[in-house]
Amino acid sequence: MSARGNRLDDAARAGWLYYVAGNTQDQIAAALGVSRQSAQRLVSLAVSEGLVRVRIDHPIAACMELARRLKERFALQFAEVVPSDPESNSTTVGVAEATAAQIERHLLSPEPIIMAIGTGRTLKAAIEQLPPMECPQHRIVSLTGNIAPDGSAAYYNVIFTMADTVKARSFPMPLPVIVSSSEERNLLHEQPMIRPALELARRADVTFVGIGDMTDKAPVFEDGFVSRPELEALQKAGAVGEIVGWSFGTDGTFIEGGLNERVASAPLPSSETSLVIAAAMGARKLPAIKAAVSRHIVNGLITDERTATALLEAG
């Protein structure tokens, strides 16, 4: 998308926030991560470009209304909805770009923050959208191990790519994604080089994760982290989704025993103390997304119109 297109999107957001939601320019500036002067200019641009009439004449307006309804229905701290492309079957396009923009806004903070990062296709696509940045004041920690079952680097682990792009202090998790037993996991988590990463993850100010489904095409299966019998055991136990390897059911509770005893990922930061944003879209992921937002495994969501509409209809 061109720079002008992005600016019109921001102008539409600003116009909606000002004329429909009744936000002040200070509130708009905070919501969009810009200065008050920039917020003023965006509101003016929305008027001069004819985006503001009786309603906001732009697809972003419908998306923002869906986001407002998602926040209200599921008591989310943050929600963003992007337009759906009826011609695309991608599970990342649009959501990845919006996630990148949100990550960038947090990284632009002059105040030091701890950012925790999950893994997956959407996050990888998002990190590839980030511009080069200098962020020495921040710390970025991976929630997941970076070693695949065959001993190679886990392909969708994004911490190293992100470290190269944003020049922040980065803390990888030098572990297998899934280990052989809970005893091995406990032993590894006690290692001096692992404990700091686990502590940083616990204290994260903002967290970005993907959501995986538990269908027969589950990413953890297709990427070789679990076998077919292990996937079937998770399905039989009621798992509908996973976040950084942790499997959960329709009620949003993590599956007891089984594979969860061998996941080496850091525990997810608490949504009571951290902004935990999931980036996910698509019908296949709908049960997992619904469980995650309904039970506050996450308290933020970036998704597309179709998924947002389906969530509200199923709510």
Side-chain angles (χ1 to χ4, degrees), residues 9 12 42 52 95 120 122 145 150 159 205 218 240 251 294 311:
D9 283 356
L42 287 170
V52 176
V95 169
T122 304
D150 63 359
I159 189 73
D205 299 294
V240 296
D251 61 356
S294 296
L311 277 171

Side-chain angles (χ1 to χ4, degrees), residues 36-69:
R36 188 177 189 277
Q37 291 75 17
S38 294
Q40 281 181 314
R41 288 193 288 270
L42 287 170
V43 172
S44 297
L45 180 62
V47 175
S48 66
E49 290 290 332
L51 304 181
V52 176
R53 296 170 188 155
V54 176
R55 58 186 174 87
I56 303 296
D57 192 14
H58 191 281
I60 291 297
C63 292
M64 294 191 77
E65 175 61 18
L66 284 171
R68 183 195 67 77
R69 291 174 61 196

Side-chain angles (χ1 to χ4, degrees), residues 157-212:
N157 189 287
V158 300
I159 189 73
F160 297 112
T161 303
M162 193 170 179
D164 287 342
T165 302
V166 304
K167 302 299 186 291
R169 289 186 66 197
S170 300
F171 297 80
M173 194 79 70
L175 296 174
V177 176
I178 297 173
V179 296
S180 61
S181 67
S182 59
E183 291 78 14
E184 181 184 4
R185 177 184 64 193
N186 295 339
L187 181 64
L188 290 170
H189 279 190
E190 287 300 317
Q191 299 307 304
M193 66 183 302
I194 303 299
R195 287 203 303 269
L198 293 173
E199 176 61 17
L200 282 175
R202 187 186 66 81
R203 294 166 44 212
D205 299 294
V206 61
T207 300
F208 289 90
V209 295
I211 297 180

Side-chain angles (χ1 to χ4, degrees), residues 8 10 19 29 96 142 151 154 277 291 296:
L8 285 179
D10 284 343
Y19 289 102
S142 177
I277 298 175
H296 291 149

Side-chain angles (χ1 to χ4, degrees), residues 221-301:
F221 169 67
E222 292 202 327
D223 296 341
F225 292 106
V226 302
S227 65
R228 171 65 70 182
E230 287 171 330
L231 175 63
E232 291 173 350
L234 284 168
Q235 293 169 335
K236 186 176 180 180
V240 296
E242 57 85 17
I243 297 177
V244 297
W246 299 106
S247 306
F248 54 89
T250 54
D251 61 356
T253 58
F254 291 101
I255 304 297
E256 292 188 7
L259 195 69
N260 275 353
E261 291 188 348
R262 296 165 43 213
V263 173
S265 302
L268 282 172
S270 170
S271 61
E272 294 183 3
T273 57
S274 174
L275 177 58
V276 184
I277 298 175
M281 63 185 276
R284 213 171 71 195
K285 294 186 178 183
L286 190 62
I289 298 171
K290 184 176 184 294
V293 297
S294 296
R295 298 301 180 183
H296 291 149
I297 298 176
V298 302
N299 56 9
L301 179 65

Side-chain angles (χ1 to χ4, degrees), residues 67-145:
R68 183 195 67 77
R69 291 174 61 196
L70 285 175
K71 287 178 70 174
E72 184 178 275
R73 174 73 61 85
F74 298 106
L76 299 174
Q77 288 188 31
F78 173 85
E80 181 163 2
V81 176
V82 302
S84 296
D85 181 355
E87 303 298 320
S88 174
N89 292 320
S90 171
T91 58
T92 66
V93 170
V95 169
E97 287 78 3
T99 303
Q102 201 55 228
I103 292 173
E104 182 180 357
R105 283 172 180 156
H106 283 278
L107 291 175
L108 286 172
S109 166
E111 297 298 319
I113 64 169
I114 300 171
M115 179 181 291
I117 292 288
T119 187
R121 291 156 176 79
T122 304
L123 278 182
K124 186 175 187 297
I127 298 308
E128 290 171 351
Q129 300 284 333
L130 287 176
M133 302 173 70
E134 297 285 340
C135 305
Q137 73 274 34
H138 302 319
R139 287 174 288 179
I140 301 171
V141 59
S142 177
L143 291 173
T144 64

